[in-house]
């Protein structure tokens, strides 16, 4: 396949589908009890240096508890899939957990502004960055999910985004048109927060899927955190609603309010005060250290973090906000 | 020894190759019966998949279509063809059953036409999902009647890949690792030679001699020094098959 | 893009995504009342010579009423997307409606055997056939839905199926491996039967999606037939369940029991007696002519066809079969 | 003439370009406000889409994230990013709003870095979905403050494509037809010259003279013989914007 142009930045992961097949061949398909704690999943599936993907959309339906545990476990030298990442990215930068980054959306928190600490971390040069777009990264995951070495897209063309990516420009064998080929991406591990799951990993999320259908299928290991566990009979009663089948899943962690301070559709809205507090305190590295110690490093479990953020009273307010209850 | 027909025997033999904790893509009829028997007899954690989207259903009865509502009755997920085929493509599906009008010594299968392509004697359905399964799944199996008209020196049309022209040919064509595993007929069980990838007799069914198998095969079979004897269906296998899997004899009534 | 090998058969549709974009640019996005009768949709959207795709899986969740209307309208010289087609294919062969065929699964009715008349029609040589596989055709629709000229798959390789297709074998620019490129397929029109739709075309189907998500997005025009119409508020009450958004849809036809004699998940099972009658009577062309006249050509509407097949009594039996009601 | 701030003016002007029966991909803030205003003022059939999957919601308030639950509140479908971006790619999305730190004369946008790529002065979020929208959608628009530091002769980094190097450049690069449509600032409305694809002044806001616009622009603008005067926001537009679209002044309170 004749390459007309290509990005200058390196690929962090091997796009060979046969190597991925060799891994998936050995992955168990047995429908067994996969319940674990966040400590256990980080210990078992998220080692130093692994390449991580996070589900949801930055501060919406994110697996906060597992990310906190990654910081507490002092994970380093990881690769990260910077796709629609906002507060999740802010957290991993706070822990300086990764040094390789596929970047589509980073350092920002959308309308909330840019994270001062995330900017410092990325501008420091400590992190190798490869540029992509939201769709290009979704397409890379989709190619992996399809078991092929690359996907064809018509974005990135003609820009520095392509120049600083790992994509290649090739000619369509049917139309002769220039298209972009983006390499398949199989993360070592992904963590996705859902509304319901059974102990085997059959999972249901409600509302938008973002890129989680692709991420769940591309990742070699998959950790599910769920607002609540349900019976297998509940899952089987409505198979049309299932988002992720059990054989993709390695571990299931039950964590009510698990997306806090992010939004969880139909359950609770994001805690904008707490997120604003992050942005504010990040400006002063010393203050930020204390802040992190208080909210993450000195905390023993996610429930304790929730307590320090206002506990049930705060969560009730967020539930009312989400459900548009009149004051 | 228990009394059984050839369909019952082929289903029982096939079910023995389906290991616990593995995934199998099945069609209607005998393959589905073999998978259901395996689940009930020795592989409770065997995961049954249907190409149209049914994932691990609690099959209330034999489906009549791989897309009918039985194939996702109380399933863990009702997905789509894209989901199932890509699950196979990335290496998560261990076994698939195939069928066809012709099969050659390297396990290539014809389910498209008999005769000349542009003036066929018979037009068959074509690949359906067979070529996809044969390309993607780790181990493919076939249950078929053993006759010279099916076991041919050359397929009129290669619909689905076996080992193509032999050792190394799949890799050279760009196909993932995988290929034919067992061919189960009314006369014998055949596998494939590790080196040449040619079809090899593994065991002869009770009362069947090697010459009979050779006579019904249109190419030279590899014959190892020791050719085993097929262990016939056990009473327990037959009981489960007849009472729990196919009580209406939709499949086992055919032979 | 260097082509290493390619199929010998012609493409029936243009894989140029920019021509498809030019069409979609002009398609209305207004959320307006799109209700029509099956007569009106065939008149307006399914002319002689157009390329047609049918949703569902052969004799499961198929839009039978519109296919019957295509026969009654004596449509000819159409192209057909022969993907998991069984009774739908049998019907279109009975009307000799098409002369171009992309074939993955044709002439058969799965465990029910081969259709004698469909075999005669295809073996006659009147129809140009191009070979594919179920997944390859799904991938061709997916590429069209993605707005790219082709998709990458690892099936078909090394076989006569590829030799008699329109696929091309190319080299992966990342791994050097041989892969198959299959051209995007934008059908002129598709017809999909669903459980519920609103008058604007927002549609919900339950159970397996087969390739209907891809077909709905690839097709230039889309006809929805629905078991029942629901309000837009009903759709908006559970947006997670929506399968097809209104702006893809050109017409909505309400047809209870619309998949008969096929299976409609959760509502009614297939009428195996009637389907067996088809296979039997097809053996004798003269008998078959009378049969077609009785069940299709002399019938004024779908309800009349249902009556001739046993009416409400038969439909009640099929409902009990579907719901596994003990005799 | 009614009293209004620059944010209110830009939103009102942008909303006028959103025709009824079209589709628009929006982000948070001003673009969302412009789309909501258009729906309420003159384009009831304008379809609002969010890149993370929200399709035509009944927005109860301004979203704070393009992926928060407001973006699919009573939507007709809660889809995913793949669905939205491919919908753009096949030509079903008419308008998209973009933003950035720098824009050049051909409407190319930088939202990645200011300074040297490997030693940036400032790292911004990067493309997000901007490059995808700029590649796929028929007409892209920008609302921004007008200053020399934003309207630059050369972007430090081209994150998202405008017309690249001018006429014919998108086609040569393999991009679909499309590109920048209107640039709306606090000083003027600009479009693009049909022939050269270079940025062209279309109308000056009340009280703004051409020299001021030129002084705040880091490249030569195309100036047609007749430069129009921007019609300021009407009382009705302002009423809807302030009462129905953004009563909490989350967006219009910023300027």
């Amino acid at each position: 396949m004749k390459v007309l142009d290509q990005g200058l930045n390196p690929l962090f992961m091997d796009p060979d589908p046969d190597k991925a097949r060799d891994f998936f061949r050995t992955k168990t398909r047995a429908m067994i009890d996969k319940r674990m704690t966040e400590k256990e999943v980080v210990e078992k599936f998220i080692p130093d240096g692994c390449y991580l993907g996070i589900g949801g959309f930055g501060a919406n339906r994110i697996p906060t508890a597992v990310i906190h545990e990654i910081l507490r476990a002092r994970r380093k030298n990881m690769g990260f899939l910077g796709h629609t990442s906002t507060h999740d990215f802010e957290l991993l930068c706070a822990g300086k957990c990764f040094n390789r980054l596929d970047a589509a959306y980073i350092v920002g928190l959308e309308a909330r502004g840019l994270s001062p600490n995330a900017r410092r971390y990325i501008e420091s040069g400590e992190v190798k960055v490869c540029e992509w777009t939201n769709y290009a990264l979704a397409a890379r995951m989709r190619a992996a999910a399809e078991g092929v070495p690359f996907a064809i897209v018509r974005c990135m063309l003609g820009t520095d985004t392509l120049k600083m990516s790992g994509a290649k420009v090739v000619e369509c064998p049917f139309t002769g048109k220039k298209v972009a080929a983006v390499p398949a991406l199989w993360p070592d591990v992904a963590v996705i927060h859902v509304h319901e799951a059974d102990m085997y990993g059959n999972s249901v999320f409600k509302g938008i899927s973002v890129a989680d259908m692709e991420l769940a299928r591309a990742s070699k290991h998959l950790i599910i955190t769920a607002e609540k566990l349900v019976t297998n009979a509940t899952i089987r009663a409505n198979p049309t609603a299932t988002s992720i089948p059990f054989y993709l899943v390695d571990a299931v962690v039950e964590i009510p309010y698990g997306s806090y301070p992010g939004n969880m559709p139909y359950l609770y809205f994001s805690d904008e005060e707490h997120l604003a507090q992050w942005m504010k305190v990040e400006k002063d590295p010393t203050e930020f250290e204390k802040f992190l110690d208080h909210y993450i490093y000195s905390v023993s479990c996610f429930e304790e973090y929730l307590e320090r953020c206002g506990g049930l009273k705060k969560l009730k307010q967020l539930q009312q906000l989400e459900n548009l209850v009149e004051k | 020894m228990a009394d059984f027909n050839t369909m019952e025997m082929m289903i029982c033999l096939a079910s023995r190759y389906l290991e616990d904790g593995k995934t199998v893509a099945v069609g209607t009829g005998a393959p589905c019966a073999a998978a259901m028997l395996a689940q009930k007899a020795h592989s409770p954690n065997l995961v049954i998949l249907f190409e149209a989207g049914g994932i691990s259903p609690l099959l209330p009865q034999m489906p009549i279509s791989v897309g009918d509502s039985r194939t996702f009755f109380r399933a863990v997920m009702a997905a789509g063809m894209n989901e199932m085929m890509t699950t196979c493509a990335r290496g998560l599906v261990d076994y698939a059953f195939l069928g066809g009008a012709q099969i050659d010594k390297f396990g290539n299968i014809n389910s498209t036409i008999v005769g000349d392509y542009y003036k066929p004697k018979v037009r068959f359905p074509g690949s359906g999902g067979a070529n996809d399964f044969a390309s993607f799944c780790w181990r493919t199996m076939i249950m078929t009647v053993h006759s010279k008209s099916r076991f041919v020196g050359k397929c009129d049309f290669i619909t689905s890949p076996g080992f193509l022209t032999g050792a190394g040919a799949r890799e050279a064509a760009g196909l993932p690792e995988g290929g034919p595993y067992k061919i189960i007929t009314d006369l014998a069980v055949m596998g494939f030679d590790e080196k040449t990838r040619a079809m090899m007799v593994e065991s002869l069914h009770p009362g069947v001699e090697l010459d009979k198998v050779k006579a019904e095969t249109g190419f030279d079979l590899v014959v190892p020094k020791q050719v085993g004897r097929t262990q016939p269906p056990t009473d327990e296998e037959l009981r489960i098959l007849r009472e729990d899997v196919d009580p209406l004899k939709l499949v086992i009534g055919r032979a």
Side-chain angles (χ1 to χ4, degrees), chain A residues 104 110 123 131 133-134 142 156 160-161 209 263 321-322:
Chain A
E110 299 186 84
E123 291 166 8
E131 305 290 331
T133 73
N134 276 352
R142 194 181 60 217
M156 299 176 72
D160 292 323
T161 303
S209 54
N263 169 217
L321 264 178
E322 175 65 12

Side-chain angles (χ1 to χ4, degrees), chain A residues 118-140:
Chain A
R119 272 192 54 194
R120 279 195 298 272
Y121 189 51
I122 302 305
E123 291 166 8
S124 74
E126 289 177 58
V127 179
K128 276 207 183 68
V129 182
C130 188
E131 305 290 331
W132 303 94
T133 73
N134 276 352
Y135 180 57
L137 280 184
R140 292 186 63 191

Side-chain angles (χ1 to χ4, degrees), chain B residues 28-29 51-54 60-61 63-73 77-82 85-86 89 112-113 117-129 131-132 135-136 155-161 164 172-177 254:
Chain B
T28 56
E51 69 179 89
Q61 57 184 227
I64 190 150
S65 159
V66 294
D68 77 30
S69 52
R70 306 316 187 213
T71 63
F72 52 93
F73 180 78
M77 183 172 183
M81 177 166 285
N82 193 56
M85 290 306 188
T86 56
T112 302
I113 54 103
Y117 179 75
Y118 292 103
K119 279 252 153 287
K121 279 200 210 68
V122 187
R123 171 74 208 204
F124 291 102
S127 163
N131 177 292
D132 307 313
S135 299
F136 299 150
C155 289
D156 291 355
F157 188 101
I158 295 180
T159 307
S160 304
L164 300 176
L175 286 170
E177 184 184 344
R254 284 202 209 130

Side-chain angles (χ1 to χ4, degrees), chain A residues 30-31, chain B residues 18-21 37-47 56:
Chain A
M31 204 167 86
Chain B
L18 301 174
E19 296 168 26
D20 197 30
L37 174 57
Q39 274 187 333
K40 294 170 197 287
H42 54 81
S43 297
N45 266 312
L46 178 69
V47 181
S56 198

Side-chain angles (χ1 to χ4, degrees), chain A residues 316-322 324-327:
Chain A
K316 181 179 175 184
Q317 292 166 9
L318 299 176
Q319 178 178 314
Q320 292 179 336
L321 264 178
E322 175 65 12
L324 301 165
V325 177
E326 300 295 337
K327 289 286 179 319

